[in-house]
Amino acid sequence: MAKLNPYLSFRSEAKAALDFYQSVLGGELDVSTFGGTPMEGMPTPDEDKDLVMHGQLDTPGGLTIMASDTPSFMEYVAPSAGVTVALTGGPDDHDYIKGAYEKLSDGATPGQPFELAPWGDYYGQLTDRFGISWMFDVAAK
């Protein structure tokens, strides 16, 4: 079965972000660095060796977030303001999603509090400490 997963781009904060997301969402984290995964015919500058070439967090609930850093020899393009990571679920997911909102709020720019919305769902928004926009929605019973 195909999956659609967010792939987050950072200048040099991917490892810190993935560690933070793991502390919030749980799961297994796998990280490869540019220094640990040399590319044939492409030497890695010393300042890029600890940067994340590819990182993947797989949570117990089946969520996957991937991320990487941008080495010095590539142009960094910050995540678009038009892209948001949405964590959504049903009534059984309320505590997990509320907890994620609360933990991601640490160091975040507030958006909308996670609370009962006029349409009946619990809804909230924030931009986390790494500049990633998040939306949270728990469908009504």
Side-chain angles (χ1 to χ4, degrees):
M1 173 170 63
K3 286 177 63 175
L4 183 63
N5 305 305
Y7 200 110
L8 307 175
S9 177
F10 297 94
R11 168 45 87 193
S12 61
E13 303 85 13
K15 180 68 167 87
L18 287 166
D19 285 341
F20 180 57
Y21 300 151
Q22 183 183 33
S23 76
V24 169
L25 302 169
E28 296 295 319
L29 180 58
D30 183 34
V31 174
S32 300
T33 63
F34 282 94
T37 313
M39 294 183 282
E40 191 173 319
M42 187 179 220
T44 301
D46 286 341
E47 68 266 22
D48 295 337
K49 290 188 187 261
D50 292 331
L51 295 180
V52 174
M53 177 183 272
H54 176 75
Q56 182 166 322
L57 174 63
D58 293 305
T59 72
L63 306 173
T64 299
I65 294 178
M66 295 180 272
S68 65
D69 288 319
T70 306
S72 60
F73 54 86
M74 295 175 70
E75 179 183 357
Y76 173 65
V77 179
S80 168
V83 175
T84 299
V85 176
L87 181 57
T88 64
D92 292 344
D93 302 306
H94 183 269
D95 291 344
Y96 180 76
I97 293 173
K98 180 181 179 186
Y101 174 87
E102 291 170 351
K103 292 174 188 173
L104 285 165
S105 293
D106 182 21
T109 302
Q112 183 171 340
F114 185 74
E115 59 190 16
L116 190 60
W119 60 89
D121 290 1
Y122 281 85
Y123 181 83
Q125 292 180 321
L126 58 79
T127 301
D128 74 22
R129 64 172 85 165
F130 298 99
I132 303 300
S133 175
W134 288 78
M135 176 180 74
F136 307 84
D137 187 272
V138 176
K141 291 183 180 183

